[in-house]
Each structure stands twice: as structure tokens, then as C-alpha cells.
Amino acid sequence: MSTYNTSREEIAIVSFVELTPAEASQLDEIETIQTIVSRATDGAGIARDRIGFTVSGSCDMLVGRPFSWIMAMDGAGVSKPIEESHVEMDGAWALYEAWVRLQHGDIDAALIYSFGANAAEDLMQVLALQLDPYYLAPTGINAAEVAALQASAMLAGGATERQFAEVAVRAGLAVSVEAALAEPYTNRPLRASDLPRFSDGAVAMVIARGDYARSVCARPAWIQSMAHIADSHSLGVRDLSKAPSLEKAARLAGVGEKPTDLVEVHAPFGPQEVLAIEALRAAGLHGTAALNPSGGTRAAQSVMVAGLAAIGRAASAIHRGEASRTVGHASSGPALQHNLIAVLEERS
Amino acid sequence: MSEATKPVVKDVTTMAAPVSLKFRARAGKDLSRFLRGMKERRIVGRVCPSCNYVYVPPRGACPTCGCPMGDERVLPETGTITTFCIVNIPFEGQKLKPPYVCASVLLDGADVALFHLVGGCDVNDVRMGMRVRAEWVDEADAELSLETIRYFVPTGEPDRPLAQIREHI
Ligand SMILES: [Zn+2]
């Protein structure tokens, strides 16, 4: 394993909260942030003045308002002032920035939050705007159609629609494999049960160093390692039936070094879960490894939140004493272009 | 270069790719209360239970304390201009004909200024410290919008000394 991807300081996820879609749908961005941040800090016995760094992940294109995250920051209590940053990405990359920041060893804890209130009428079309603006975006292809291209490439490479259906059942989006396979195609070879159910959502997390982590959390989820790798932005130069950046990130993070109890994968579309797990296995994933026991993020997919949610759920399993080594995955960009892996461990 | 491999279009230097997206904004709990007040031609602020600041429009949280807002506070329609600018430049989507004045109006009893327009006087007469009051649209035209206040007009009262409003600028 590359030491670059390993925690130099002892750093752990000590608190993680998710807002339910029903709660999130009632609140504006400031109210949302206020609610989750207070639950993840005050609610977990973490003093605000111990937090030396705050970083958020969100996307202005979801609400159609420039710099919406600056307004939303009011909910975190910011005019002290605080040291703060933002990524226009899934909150998992905000976690990565906070983890790097904590390696400096001069602050105790960092707060990470992520929110996605989907105000867009056609989110699939909004997501397509992340495609390259010269060759792909002008074709009008939307996110579901990109995912269908990938699923087709997977089928050509030997995957089966039955595998996609099994993932849909695990996510609670179909009652049985047969029922899933009986659904009509929405974007061939995708069916409704392969698509995400978009919802509003928000999550907040606190990571902390060494003794402070131990003092606020009975079973900290220690971040053993974290790595993220991106494939080419252009769909045309990729083999969409594979997720090489995911496999490479998993290798860099040392996923295969020990047996894993639980994996939470962030696959916006069903077939991508099949692909992600294949890539993790190729990188050495072994052990009992329960796959997406939370049901994954697709049944209530909040864009920019789902990846951090997957990692947070992998941490929560350690907090609850249900697992001692877990892997969390987040993806970004079209067709699993960019992938982040976090390896979390319990330590005595 | 053979006939077949010749580029069809030469010297492409620009490309138009229009994008159009539709959004439906959600006001949230606090702003919804404010907007319902507007429909009744009332200005509804809220008080931070921790630092007692009065916010108008109310926000989902106090940015200083990071806590949710407390009690509602109905504010008077009078206030003081803390700062302003004269808009002389035309731009797309503009609703008023330049020149006009945008101002921060500190309502009496509020701690945070409200951003609005100033009307009913020559733009060159507007000044910091000037006393103003809300000019409402007719009751039948009241909307769930800040535009239910057409603009603020001078009251003719003496100006407030700058020292009294400095911390709100
Ligand atoms: Zn306050």
C-alpha cells in the first residue's frame, strides 16, 4: 500500500447523521444544514470549538442558484469566523479534504456536510451537463442514457440482466428477480428498477484525531486509508464495461490487505453496483463482506450526498459494533468515472 | 489530402450550445412565514434565541450562533437607509428603468438590513441615514413576494446619525 493513502495521524469518523428524505423535503438549505450539523456535533457531544475545519460538498446546479452553498453555510454557524472549504462534488470528496487537513496534526476535529435538494425539474438532464461541452453535451444525452450505454457494454462483456435484477431486489426496488426482469425497458437495457429514485437529502459527519476521537466516541471508525482515482472524462475513450479507476483506488487503499466485514457501494444506477463489486473483488476484497446491507443509496438517491452517505453507513456499522473492518465507496462523474475508497477499522 | 478526408467545415472557432433548465425553488419554513406575511402586507422577522438579533427576512439559522430562529417579531414598516447604490447601467432582465436606487434598509427594531429599492424621490437625494417607509402595492395585488413592498419612500423625518447605524452597515 502506498503510504500516501494511509492515515499518518490517527483519524476516525466519530459521528455521522443522515436526514430522512421526508425531513429534508420540508426544509430549505440553511434549515437543512442547521439540523444535520447540530445533530452531528451537539447531538454527539462534540463541542463546536474543537472543530478546526469545516468542509461541505454540494452542487449549485441542483438548485439552479449560483453560490448556494455560501448561503447554506449560515446553518453551520459561520460568523465567528470559521476555517472553511467547499467542493462542488459529492460530500465524500469533502471528507477526503478534511482527512488531508487533519493529517497536519494541529486541529482536533473537522466537520463535513453535504446536501442535495433537487429543485430541478429534470435531474437526468442536469446531470448530463457534467459531460464534455463540445462532443457529448450537445447531443442531448441524459444521465440515464449514459448509464444505459454502460449497461450495454457490460452485457456485451458477459454480464447478465439477471445480475442487474438481483441488485434491484437487494436495493428494495423490485420484489423479485422475475418481477424485475418482467418490467419494460425505460432506457434499454435499463428498467425502472435499475434507475435511482431521486430524493432530497443531507448528511453530516465529524472526523477527529487520536485521543479526542476516543473521548467522544465509544467505537471510533478509524480511517485506515483513503484513495481516489479518475478515469478519462470522455466516454468514447473508456471501456465502459470496466471501472479501472475504482479498482486502482481500492488497491491503493489496501482493500485486500485484510478480510472485510461490510461494503457500502455508491452506485447511482443498478448495473454500476455489479461493476463496482467486481472491481473491488479484483482489487482483493475478501472476507464475509456484506454488500450494501443498508440497501444502498439508490432507493433514496440524493445527488452529492449519496457517496458520503455510503461511507458514513460503513462507519456507522463500526460505531454500532456490527463490523470491525468496512469499506465505503463513492463515485462521481458519468458512468463511475471517478471513484473514492475509504477503508475503516475498529481498533482496541 | 484525399477528397474523403478533407474536413467538411473549415476554421470552426465558436460553437453555440444553448442550455435551458427548469427549477422549482423551495422557500423552507422560515422564509415561507415571511412570504405569507408579505401577502398580508406585514413584515415578519424572527429573533435569534441565543444572541437576540432580529433577522428580516428570517433565515433558517442564526449565522453567528448556528441555532434555529426563535420567536416571530412583526416589524414596523419604517426604517433607515444604511447604505445604497444608484444603478445607472441597463442589463438583461432589469425591471426598472435606470437610474434607480438599491438600498439596505434597517427596519426599526431589526438588526439586519433588508435589501430593497428606494422610490418616490430623486435618486440624487438618497443618502445614508435617510428615514424611509415601505410603500405597499394595493391589497388585491399583494403576493407571496418581497415585491409586495413596491419600494421604500422617504418619510421626511430627520436623518439618523451614522454612529447609530454603523454596526449594521
Ligand atoms: Zn444568534
Side-chain angles (χ1 to χ4, degrees), chain B residues 31-81:
Chain B
L31 194 55
S32 294
R33 287 159 83 155
F34 173 79
L35 294 174
R36 278 194 286 270
M38 279 289 119
K39 179 118 176 131
E40 298 162 5
R41 302 198 296 179
R42 292 189 309 144
I43 306 171
V44 181
R46 284 185 86 186
V47 188
C48 171
S50 173
C51 67
N52 292 317
Y53 249 55
V54 177
Y55 287 92
V56 63
R59 338 172 43 92
C62 174
T64 303
C65 311
C67 62
M69 287 289 146
D71 294 339
E72 226 168 70
R73 175 85 50 92
V74 176
L75 291 158
E77 57 186 31
T78 51
T80 304
I81 293 176

Side-chain angles (χ1 to χ4, degrees), chain A residues 29-30 33 56-74 84-88 113 115, chain B residues 59:
Chain A
E29 290 175 315
I30 299 176
I33 305 311
S56 57
S58 69
C59 177
D60 287 346
M61 297 296 278
L62 298 181
V63 283
R65 192 168 56 204
F67 297 100
S68 65
W69 58 275
I70 291 181
M71 291 273 290
M73 256 166 38
D74 279 5
E84 164 286 325
S85 182
H86 177 262
V87 295
E88 194 79 3
Y113 62 84
F115 55 100
Chain B
R59 338 172 43 92

Side-chain angles (χ1 to χ4, degrees), chain B residues 15-28:
Chain B
M15 183 193 113
V19 172
S20 164
L21 297 169
K22 282 188 179 159
F23 293 93
R24 191 177 296 118
R26 182 166 64 221

Side-chain angles (χ1 to χ4, degrees), chain A:
Chain A
M1 189 194 314
S2 150
T3 51
Y4 177 73
N5 298 291
T6 311
S7 288
R8 290 163 193 215
E9 292 280 328
E10 277 196 308
I11 299 165
I13 298 170
V14 292
S15 168
F16 173 68
V17 294
E18 292 188 63
L19 207 57
T20 65
E23 281 180 295
S25 67
Q26 299 299 311
L27 306 174
D28 72 6
E29 290 175 315
I30 299 176
E31 292 162 351
T32 297
I33 305 311
Q34 198 285 320
T35 306
I36 50 163
V37 166
S38 63
R39 285 183 195 169
T41 56
D42 315 336
I46 295 159
R48 299 275 185 117
D49 60 7
R50 296 300 286 269
I51 291 168
F53 186 57
T54 299
V55 53
S56 57
S58 69
C59 177
D60 287 346
M61 297 296 278
L62 298 181
V63 283
R65 192 168 56 204
F67 297 100
S68 65
W69 58 275
I70 291 181
M71 291 273 290
M73 256 166 38
D74 279 5
V78 290
S79 67
K80 285 278 191 265
I82 59 170
E83 190 185 321
E84 164 286 325
S85 182
H86 177 262
V87 295
E88 194 79 3
M89 298 183 83
D90 188 290
W93 277 266
L95 165 63
Y96 190 91
E97 183 175 341
W99 175 68
V100 170
R101 178 65 187 82
L102 246 60
Q103 316 258 0
H104 289 254
D106 59 331
I107 56 174
D108 296 322
L111 167 69
I112 303 109
Y113 62 84
S114 174
F115 55 100
N118 299 323
E121 275 192 6
D122 183 355
L123 193 53
M124 291 292 186
Q125 205 58 53
V126 172
L127 292 172
L129 291 180
Q130 67 191 328
L131 299 169
D132 98 69
Y134 305 111
Y135 298 103
L136 269 174
T139 66
I141 191 170
N142 75 17
E145 289 155 1
V146 170
L149 280 179
Q150 181 161 46
S152 294
M154 289 173 66
L155 292 175
T160 63
E161 291 186 28
R162 176 162 281 270
Q163 281 179 296
F164 302 169
E166 284 165 3
V167 168
V169 172
R170 197 158 66 222
L173 296 173
V175 290
S176 68
V177 168
E178 286 64 36
L181 290 173
E183 286 175 20
Y185 292 118
T186 53
N187 305 81
R188 189 170 188 160
L190 299 185
R191 300 179 162 90
S193 57
D194 297 318
L195 305 180
R197 305 283 190 274
F198 290 122
S199 78
D200 297 331
V203 297
M205 180 185 277
V206 175
I207 63 174
R209 279 195 312 126
D211 289 341
Y212 186 64
R214 288 183 200 91
S215 74
V216 293
C217 182
R219 271 190 294 267
W222 297 101
I223 300 172
Q224 168 63 25
S225 53
M226 223 180 328
H228 70 109
I229 304 280
D231 284 309
S232 167
H233 186 224
S234 170
L235 296 176
V237 304
R238 288 173 56 190
D239 174 357
L240 293 177
S241 73
K242 299 204 164 54
S245 64
L246 202 167
E247 184 180 329
K248 192 168 182 190
R251 281 186 197 285
L252 286 173
V255 163
E257 289 183 357
K258 288 182 197 167
T260 297
D261 303 324
L262 180 153
V263 179
E264 286 285 350
V265 162
H266 167 214
F269 293 86
Q272 295 172 348
E273 187 171 319
V274 176
L275 204 56
I277 288 166
E278 262 173 27
L280 285 168
R281 290 226 169 92
L285 176 73
H286 66 287
T288 52
L291 302 174
N292 276 6
S294 75
T297 54
R298 234 161 2 104
Q301 172 104 353
S302 178
V303 179
M304 301 296 142
V305 173
L308 183 59
I311 296 169
R313 290 170 186 182
S316 294
I318 292 176
H319 294 160
R320 291 192 303 263
E322 294 167 7
S324 59
R325 187 180 198 256
T326 65
V327 171
H329 159 253
S331 69
S332 174
L336 294 185
Q337 183 214 350
H338 192 173
N339 294 281
L340 183 148
I341 297 287
V343 176
L344 309 174
E345 290 180 353
E346 181 186 36
R347 283 176 203 159
S348 46

Side-chain angles (χ1 to χ4, degrees), chain B residues 85-136:
Chain B
C85 76
I86 301 172
V87 179
N88 290 297
I89 307 164
F91 55 86
E92 203 179 311
Q94 199 168 35
K95 290 192 174 169
L96 297 176
K97 199 172 166 312
Y100 59 92
V101 173
C102 286
S104 289
V105 176
L106 183 68
L107 293 172
D108 297 335
D111 288 294
V112 172
L114 183 73
F115 196 64
H116 217 298
L117 303 168
V118 175
C121 65
D122 190 286
V123 295
N124 296 309
D125 290 339
V126 176
R127 55 200 181 266
M128 291 167 83
M130 188 186 216
R131 296 283 297 156
V132 289
R133 70 169 170 77
E135 175 82 6
W136 299 94

